[in-house]
Amino acid sequence: MKVSKEEILHIANLANLEINENEIDKYCKNLEEILDFADIVNKAPVEEMNITIGANQEKNVFRKDEIEVFEDNEMLMQNAPAKSRNMFEIPKVL
């Protein structure tokens, strides 16, 4: 698909990009290649294919939340830079 210099400048303006005059040809070529590839993908024969959502049948696998008691609180609290009433003390976040 052919892309004109005016189209490149219009796209650059919409994207608030500054393009040098010597870069326009490079962008034209790159955009033409992208549009040609998109055209190939759009023309791919997919009528006979099965509908797929992903590469495999796996779905989100969740585990049940289980409460476990941590036995060695004193060792854990040794790592706290500040503590209050047997809990980590952190600065207020507003």
Side-chain angles (χ1 to χ4, degrees):
M1 175 178 250
K2 190 71 178 151
V3 179
S4 70
K5 175 182 174 180
E6 290 77 27
E7 288 172 318
I8 292 294
L9 292 173
H10 179 68
I11 293 168
N13 184 41
L14 291 174
N16 199 22
L17 298 174
E18 293 181 20
I19 296 180
N20 297 334
E21 190 68 31
N22 57 354
E23 294 177 318
I24 293 175
D25 290 335
K26 181 179 83 171
Y27 284 114
C28 281
K29 183 178 180 285
N30 288 341
L31 188 55
E32 287 171 4
E33 289 175 1
I34 292 168
L35 293 174
D36 288 341
F37 180 74
D39 192 43
I40 291 169
V41 171
N42 284 335
K43 290 180 181 177
V46 294
E47 294 81 22
E48 305 277 330
M49 299 179 100
N50 293 331
I51 296 174
T52 60
I53 294 175
N56 59 34
Q57 298 298 321
E58 293 295 321
K59 307 242 185 301
N60 288 338
V61 179
F62 297 103
R63 64 173 172 80
K64 184 177 178 181
D65 288 336
E66 296 178 5
I67 298 173
E68 295 182 15
V69 178
F70 188 75
E71 299 293 332
D72 200 357
N73 283 343
E74 286 183 26
M75 184 180 78
L76 179 67
M77 295 308 290
Q78 288 176 359
N79 294 322
K83 52 188 166 185
S84 173
R85 295 184 297 167
N86 204 29
M87 295 183 282
F88 285 89
E89 187 175 317
I90 61 170
K92 288 183 182 181
V93 178
L94 300 176

